[in-house]
Amino acid sequence: MIGAIFLMATSAIGPGFLTQTSVFTVKMGAALAFAILLSIVIDIAVQLNVWRILGVSGLRASELANKVVPGLGWVLAVLVGVGGFIFNIGNVAGTGLGLQALAGIEPRIGGAISAVIALVVFLSKRAGAALDVIVGILGAMMILLMLYVAISSNPPVAEAMRQTVAPEAIDFNVITILIGGTVGGYIVFAGVHRLIDAGHTGPENIDYLTRSSVTGIIVTGIMRVLLFLAVLGVVATGVTLSKDNTAADVFYQAAGEFGRRAFGLVLWAAGLSSVIGASFTSVSFMTKQGFDPKKRTMFTVAFIVASAAIFLALGGTPPQKVLLFAGAFNGLILPIGFAVVLFAGIFRRDLLRGYKPPAWMLTIGVLVLVLTLYMGWSSISKLPEIISM
């Protein structure tokens, strides 16, 4: 359970997560508190449905989609794979920037080093166990460092609490990206695919699946709130933050040189854990259960190598823009995968081994699906504006 929780949470808490939360806090101030609350509520509704339905069926999302409509699973695999690949380029870039802030290593060299570390995890003889341990350690380390910086920045907590329920501004484009960055694309399926691989499936594991999904979102939500408060505290002082690397500047302004080094460690940990999560989950969409483990490992290695190679080739592309675009893109494809899961829960219960999803869960899921469709559609025309923030 711990491995699945932290795989999902650390997949969400990547460089894109740090970038999106920092940029939007600067833009919206305390009003972002409402967007964060709404995104967490939506995240819980999505995760409950996805983890329960997929976990009970014992089928990965692409396999379930193929059972619902033959061929649909491969369409979903392509969409999720593309979204995961775009995110992974940003993840590798994040590891490079993290090592630069932490140890002064040139970003492209740092990105290459981090990609090699991720390859070692997947090539180890006990890759599954190594995956669970690594993401757990990285996740705990990120939360502790973020807590320190959030306290150091002395944020206006009372104002943030007020605007959580009475925001001065609401921006659905921002909410779409926040959701895309935490449960969009491959991220929503990361943890449950890990549980399916480990054999924790079927109606007898429903409580286990529920606790795992909600705990994963709570971990992600804690991290997002801490980062939001850290940025808000700095913004409240009137300091103008860097537009090219907003999150790094927040840590420096809040805690000086230690803050800069802490940011480097957090960004590196976030990037590395997200490289691992994105690669594992994207490849799980492209292969069936029972697929030759050695061949699957080679696909994962190729996915990481290709992501790192494109990052090295792009070189001068600002990672912040790549990460904002990736969050928006994953927010747009979220409704597709979620719709397949809900359809199976409502109309294809023959795939759920006798499990009957509760009506309240499916009803909330449908309402959230409609909301994400609306937000995704309204954001399509504004992608250029979003990535120029």
Side-chain angles (χ1 to χ4, degrees), residues 141-206:
M141 184 172 62
M142 284 189 285
I143 289 175
L144 290 174
L145 285 170
M146 193 64 71
L147 176 62
Y148 173 81
V149 175
I151 294 172
S152 299
S153 73
N154 192 28
V157 177
E159 178 63 14
M161 292 179 65
R162 183 184 70 81
Q163 294 213 43
T164 299
V165 294
E168 294 178 355
I170 298 175
D171 190 328
F172 282 113
N173 297 317
V174 168
I175 296 171
T176 299
I177 297 179
L178 290 179
I179 293 170
T182 48
V183 291
Y186 73 92
I187 298 171
V188 67
F189 304 107
V192 70
H193 278 199
R194 179 75 187 104
L195 288 181
I196 290 171
D197 277 1
H200 297 295
T201 61
E204 65 275 15
N205 281 304
I206 193 67

Side-chain angles (χ1 to χ4, degrees), residues 53-359:
I53 292 172
L54 290 184
V56 167
S57 72
L59 299 170
R60 296 175 185 163
S62 54
E63 294 169 337
L64 183 72
N66 276 331
K67 295 279 187 182
V68 171
V69 178
L72 180 59
W74 298 115
V75 174
L76 184 60
V78 170
L79 289 172
V80 171
V82 169
F85 191 71
I86 294 172
F87 237 135
N88 224 29
I89 296 169
N91 292 335
V92 176
T95 63
L97 290 176
L99 287 181
Q100 181 185 43
L102 179 64
I105 299 173
E106 202 276 326
R108 284 196 276 188
I109 295 175
I113 292 172
S114 302
V116 170
I117 294 173
L119 291 176
V120 170
V121 171
F122 283 105
L123 290 173
S124 67
K125 290 184 178 180
R126 297 190 63 201
L131 182 68
D132 293 341
V133 171
I134 289 292
V135 296
I137 292 172
L138 293 176
M141 184 172 62
M142 284 189 285
I143 289 175
L144 290 174
L145 285 170
M146 193 64 71
L147 176 62
Y148 173 81
V149 175
I151 294 172
S152 299
S153 73
N154 192 28
V157 177
E159 178 63 14
M161 292 179 65
R162 183 184 70 81
Q163 294 213 43
T164 299
V165 294
E168 294 178 355
I170 298 175
D171 190 328
F172 282 113
N173 297 317
V174 168
I175 296 171
T176 299
I177 297 179
L178 290 179
I179 293 170
T182 48
V183 291
Y186 73 92
I187 298 171
V188 67
F189 304 107
V192 70
H193 278 199
R194 179 75 187 104
L195 288 181
I196 290 171
D197 277 1
H200 297 295
T201 61
E204 65 275 15
N205 281 304
I206 193 67
D207 291 338
Y208 186 91
L209 292 162
T210 302
R211 289 198 308 273
S212 300
S213 61
V214 175
T215 305
I217 286 296
I218 289 173
V219 171
T220 309
I222 289 172
M223 189 69 168
R224 174 148 272 162
V225 170
L226 290 176
L227 178 58
F228 161 67
L229 291 175
V231 181
L232 187 63
V234 174
V235 170
T237 66
V239 172
T240 301
L241 295 170
S242 165
K243 289 187 177 181
D244 293 327
N245 202 347
T246 308
D249 210 9
V250 167
F251 277 64
Y252 177 72
Q253 296 293 340
E257 189 58 32
F258 173 79
R260 188 195 303 277
R261 303 295 179 184
F263 168 76
L265 186 56
V266 168
L267 184 58
W268 177 78
L272 180 60
S273 58
S274 292
V275 167
I276 292 170
S279 303
F280 167 81
T281 311
S282 297
V283 172
S284 75
F285 269 83
M286 304 172 195
T287 56
K288 295 180 179 180
Q289 291 186 66
F291 190 78
D292 186 339
K294 291 184 178 179
K295 290 182 179 179
R296 179 175 169 178
T297 297
M298 289 303 102
F299 279 136
T300 307
V301 166
F303 191 87
I304 295 172
V305 169
S307 303
I310 291 181
F311 161 65
L312 295 174
L314 291 176
T317 302
Q320 184 156 294
K321 293 185 181 296
V322 174
L323 294 167
L324 287 173
F325 174 78
F329 183 82
N330 277 335
L332 297 178
I333 66 175
L334 167 64
I336 300 172
F338 190 37
V340 171
V341 172
L342 284 177
F343 183 88
I346 297 171
F347 300 108
R348 291 298 308 273
R349 291 179 181 170
D350 57 305
L351 300 174
L352 305 186
R353 305 182 187 182
Y355 171 66
K356 183 179 179 181

